[in-house]
């Protein structure tokens, strides 16, 4: 996500935090188990309250997760590196699970909080998808590493901000786990790139 969109989200979230009235009621997600490319989200006890800022974060993460799946699915069948394919599959499974939970949760949080018609603007512009579509077989691994690392870094930034300003403790716990998971994924992606750069030219696949 470009920095300007992150700042826009923080401004909107801050305004909601300042102006929100009584919080709508919803069932909150349980704490997901998070690791690089691995977490789970389930149902939590009914009666947990969601503030406006929590809803903004969840809707933003739904849009971001939907874009993640677009990115991964666009490249997964063309990847050469086994470790990158494994990571891509783990990312897809993790975020599909999170999306299922958050998308089912948001419609219960009050009027106007559903996920229908979510705008993907700010979750990685179409240039990233165009880069993947245009990447030749020799470049697709590298392009995915670059695109996905930037995208997941933005998710980590958003989650880190939510930990600081969120109201609902279970949503903040989810944000903490997202921040750790996405940060670990970025580190893995950067590690793959470093290994390839250090390999002899004849052994580089992309």
């Amino acid at each position: 996500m470009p920095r300007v969109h992150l700042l826009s989200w923080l401004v909107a979230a801050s305004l909601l935090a300042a102006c929100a009235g009584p919080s709508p009621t919803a069932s909150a997600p349980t704490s997901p188990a998070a690791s690089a490319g691995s977490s789970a989200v389930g149902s939590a006890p009914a009666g947990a309250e969601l503030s406006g800022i929590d809803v903004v974060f969840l809707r933003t993460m739904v849009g971001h997760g939907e874009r993640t799946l677009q990115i991964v699915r666009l490249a997964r069948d063309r990847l050469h590196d086994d470790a990158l394919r494994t990571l891509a599959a783990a990312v897809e499974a993790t975020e599909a699970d999170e999306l299922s939970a958050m998308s089912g949760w948001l419609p219960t949080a009050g009027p106007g909080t559903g996920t229908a018609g979510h705008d993907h603007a700010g979750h990685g512009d179409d240039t990233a998808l165009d880069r993947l579509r245009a990447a030749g077989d020799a470049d697709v691994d590298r392009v995915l590493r670059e695109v996905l690392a930037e995208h997941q870094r933005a998710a980590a930034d958003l989650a880190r901000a939510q930990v600081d300003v969120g109201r609902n403790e279970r949503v903040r716990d989810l944000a903490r786990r997202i921040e750790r998971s996405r940060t670990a994924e970025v580190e893995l992606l950067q590690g793959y790139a470093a290994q390839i750069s250090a390999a002899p030219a004849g052994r580089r696949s992309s």
Side-chain angles (χ1 to χ4, degrees):
M1 179 185 297
R3 184 66 56 180
V4 65
H5 293 300
L6 174 60
L7 292 174
S8 297
W9 179 85
L10 288 172
V11 169
S14 298
L15 288 172
L16 277 172
C19 302
S23 300
T25 299
S27 59
T30 55
S31 303
S35 60
S38 177
S39 67
V41 181
S43 300
E49 292 182 343
L50 293 179
S51 70
I53 198 169
D54 299 320
V55 171
V56 169
F57 171 72
L58 290 169
R59 291 195 66 186
T60 302
M61 290 310 303
V62 165
H64 196 279
E66 289 171 345
R67 180 53 61 91
T68 305
L69 295 184
Q70 288 181 317
I71 290 170
V72 171
R73 290 169 179 171
L74 191 58
R76 63 184 177 185
D77 295 333
R78 301 177 57 205
L79 297 174
H80 303 288
D81 184 81
D82 290 339
L84 186 57
R85 277 201 302 270
T86 298
L87 178 60
V91 168
E92 181 177 4
T94 295
E95 302 214 18
D97 182 58
E98 291 174 350
L99 275 171
S100 177
M102 290 189 291
S103 296
W105 181 16
L106 277 168
T108 69
T113 59
T115 60
H118 186 96
D119 184 358
H120 286 276
H123 303 298
D125 61 35
D126 289 338
T127 302
L129 298 180
D130 290 341
R131 285 186 64 199
L132 282 169
R133 293 188 185 100
D137 287 345
D139 296 324
V140 65
D141 286 23
R142 174 184 57 80
V143 173
L144 178 65
R145 286 193 303 269
E146 294 172 357
V147 166
L148 190 58
E150 180 180 359
H151 189 71
Q152 299 301 70
R153 188 179 296 109
D157 288 344
L158 285 170
R160 194 176 300 112
Q162 175 67 14
V163 171
D164 292 336
V165 300
R167 300 289 185 82
N168 182 286
E169 184 55 34
R170 288 190 180 274
V171 177
R172 292 176 70 231
D173 185 57
L174 172 62
R176 291 186 191 98
R177 293 174 183 273
I178 288 175
E179 191 276 332
R180 288 196 293 268
S181 173
R182 285 12 172 214
T183 297
E185 290 167 9
V186 171
E187 291 173 352
L188 283 172
L189 290 162
Q190 292 175 333
Y192 297 156
Q195 289 172 14
I196 290 170
S197 296
R203 296 176 56 189
R204 297 176 191 173
S205 61
S206 61

